[in-house]
Amino acid sequence: MPAAGGLPLSATEPDGSAVVRVLSYNIRSLRDDRAALARVIRACAPDLVLVQEAPRFVRWRKAAERLARAAGLVHVTGGATTTGPMILATLRAHVERTEDVLLPRTPGLHRRGLATAVVRIAGARLGVVSCHLSLAERERYGQAGLLLERVAGLDAPHAVVAGDLNDRPDGRSFRRIAAALTDGWAAAPWGGEFTSTPHAPHQRIDAVFATSGVEFLGCGVPRGLPGLRDADLLAASDHLPVLAALRVPAGG
C-alpha cells in the first residue's frame, strides 16, 4: 500500500473496505496563521478533519467555509452550532446525515457540544464525532460518558471519535473513553505523541479513537510528511494535530 511519511494513503481495498485518513485539530478559533493552518491540513491529506475551537462568532460560517476551501475540503457540520467542534471532509465522503449536539451546561462554565455525522467512504459506513471536553474535571468526566452514549446511538457499524479531551491518558475521562474505544496512539503509534504545546510538547490531550472492528494503521502527531513544515505546525495553532490512518471494514 502506498504511504507518505510512513502512513498509508487513502485507498479502497478490493473487498470494499476503506483506508481513511482522519485529522484531529484544535485550531484556536483561527486566531493564528491561517495560511499555515491550511498548508498543514493539505499536507496531511485527510479524508475527514475533526476540528475543535472552530470559528463561532460573527460571520463564523464564512470563516469556516473559507478554511475548508483553502484546505481543499467542504464543511460538513458544526462550528457555532456546537460551540466549537466541527467536521470537514473531502468529496470522497458521502454524507448520509449530520447532527449538532449541545451538552448540558454547568453554570459558570463554557458550554460544550459535539459535531456528529454518518458518512459512507467506498464500501464502508462510518459514524464521526468531533469533541472538545471541559476544563473542569467533574464536568469532563460526565461529558465523556455522554460522548460514549452518542457514539452508541449513531446507528453506524463503525465510528471514529477525535478531539481535545483536556485530559491526559492517565486521567479519569481519558481512561473512560479508552476503556470503550480503541486509542489510536496506543494501538499503532506513529509520528509524535505529545500535542500540547507546539513549542514545547509535553502532554497528550488530543486523541483519535475508534470502535471495535476499525484497525489503526498509524496514529500520532504528523512529522516528515511531504510539504509539511515544522514552521507551519508552530504557526498554525496552539495545539499540534493528530493524524490517523484507519482501515474501516465494508458493510453497514
Side-chain angles (χ1 to χ4, degrees):
M1 181 181 299
L7 193 73
L9 297 173
S10 302
T12 300
E13 306 285 13
D15 64 357
S17 62
V19 175
V20 179
R21 286 167 70 109
V22 177
L23 185 71
S24 180
Y25 212 162
N26 182 321
I27 64 172
R28 203 164 78 120
S29 300
L30 295 177
R31 286 182 286 176
D32 300 290
D33 187 329
R34 299 185 184 189
L37 175 65
R39 288 193 296 268
V40 170
I41 296 173
R42 280 184 174 274
C44 290
D47 298 292
L48 300 166
V49 183
L50 280 61
V51 172
Q52 302 82 49
E53 293 194 29
R56 56 190 180 89
F57 295 114
V58 178
R59 297 180 180 175
W60 69 270
R61 291 184 188 277
K62 287 187 177 179
E65 290 168 359
R66 193 175 298 118
L67 171 63
R69 286 197 303 271
L73 303 167
V74 295
H75 175 258
V76 174
T77 195
T81 51
T82 57
T83 71
M86 180 171 73
I87 299 172
L88 307 176
T90 65
L91 295 179
R92 185 181 185 222
H94 172 74
V95 181
E96 282 192 5
R97 67 175 189 273
T98 65
E99 183 178 5
D100 294 338
V101 179
L102 289 175
L103 300 176
R105 180 178 179 272
T106 300
L109 297 178
H110 171 64
R111 190 167 194 180
R112 305 284 175 167
L114 306 172
T116 79
V118 175
V119 304
R120 287 184 181 271
I121 298 178
R125 188 163 174 267
L126 183 67
V128 185
V129 182
S130 177
C131 67
H132 188 183
L133 303 188
S134 176
L135 288 166
E137 195 278 336
R138 183 174 180 180
E139 183 181 50
R140 181 168 63 243
Y141 186 74
Q143 290 172 351
L146 294 172
L147 169 65
L148 293 174
E149 289 179 10
R150 181 61 56 170
V151 172
L154 282 173
D155 189 29
H158 307 287
V160 59
V161 176
D164 177 354
L165 304 187
N166 276 315
D167 204 19
R168 300 176 182 179
D170 60 353
R172 280 206 315 153
S173 301
F174 198 116
R175 287 188 287 112
R176 185 173 193 177
I177 297 170
L181 305 174
T182 302
D183 174 6
W185 170 264
W190 166 87
E193 178 179 6
F194 300 133
T195 62
S196 176
T197 58
H199 291 274
H202 65 283
Q203 58 182 351
R204 182 163 74 98
I205 60 174
D206 305 84
V208 179
F209 300 90
T211 53
S212 176
V214 175
E215 179 187 1
F216 277 95
L217 305 175
C219 179
V221 175
R223 299 283 188 186
L225 297 179
L228 181 58
R229 302 186 303 164
D230 285 346
D232 283 342
L233 286 170
L234 296 178
S237 177
D238 65 343
H239 283 242
L240 292 170
V242 181
L243 178 62
L246 319 171
R247 181 179 285 112
V248 185

